[in-house]
Amino acid sequence: MAGLKSQEKAIETQMTRITKGMITTTKKVHRATTREEVHSLRSLVRAFAWYVADLTGQMRQHGIEPPAPPPRVDEYNRTGV
């Protein structure tokens, strides 16, 4: 009986170690995925902003006043936040 309890304890310890390792790995993957997503979205927004700036410049060159930016964009332009 004592041998069986010892084996159960060893298995429980090993399972706990494996579970903690899996949780740690999952958290690392999640953080890396989140960083990649944020980087990708920032890159997309930056590229789109340059594109809109080019279009706005072309409109003004042809005497067309572009529409005012949405409130959120205007806020960012004024405050940087």
Side-chain angles (χ1 to χ4, degrees):
M1 187 74 144
L4 186 57
K5 290 280 188 189
S6 174
Q7 286 179 341
E8 287 177 353
K9 184 65 177 167
I11 291 170
E12 183 180 336
T13 300
Q14 187 176 14
M15 289 178 68
T16 300
R17 190 172 356 126
I18 291 169
T19 301
K20 286 180 181 178
M22 289 173 67
I23 290 170
T24 300
T25 301
T26 301
K27 287 179 180 178
K28 286 179 183 178
V29 168
H30 178 69
R31 282 193 299 268
T33 301
T34 301
R35 276 193 302 272
E36 291 169 8
E37 289 171 347
V38 168
H39 177 74
S40 177
L41 287 171
R42 284 182 177 164
S43 175
L44 175 61
V45 168
R46 196 175 306 117
F48 187 73
W50 290 335
Y51 175 69
V52 170
D54 286 345
L55 290 177
T56 300
Q58 289 179 24
M59 289 175 73
R60 287 192 172 124
Q61 285 176 345
H62 290 90
I64 303 169
E65 186 59 31
R72 178 64 181 103
V73 173
D74 184 53
E75 178 186 354
Y76 178 81
N77 288 337
R78 285 185 290 103
T79 66
V81 180

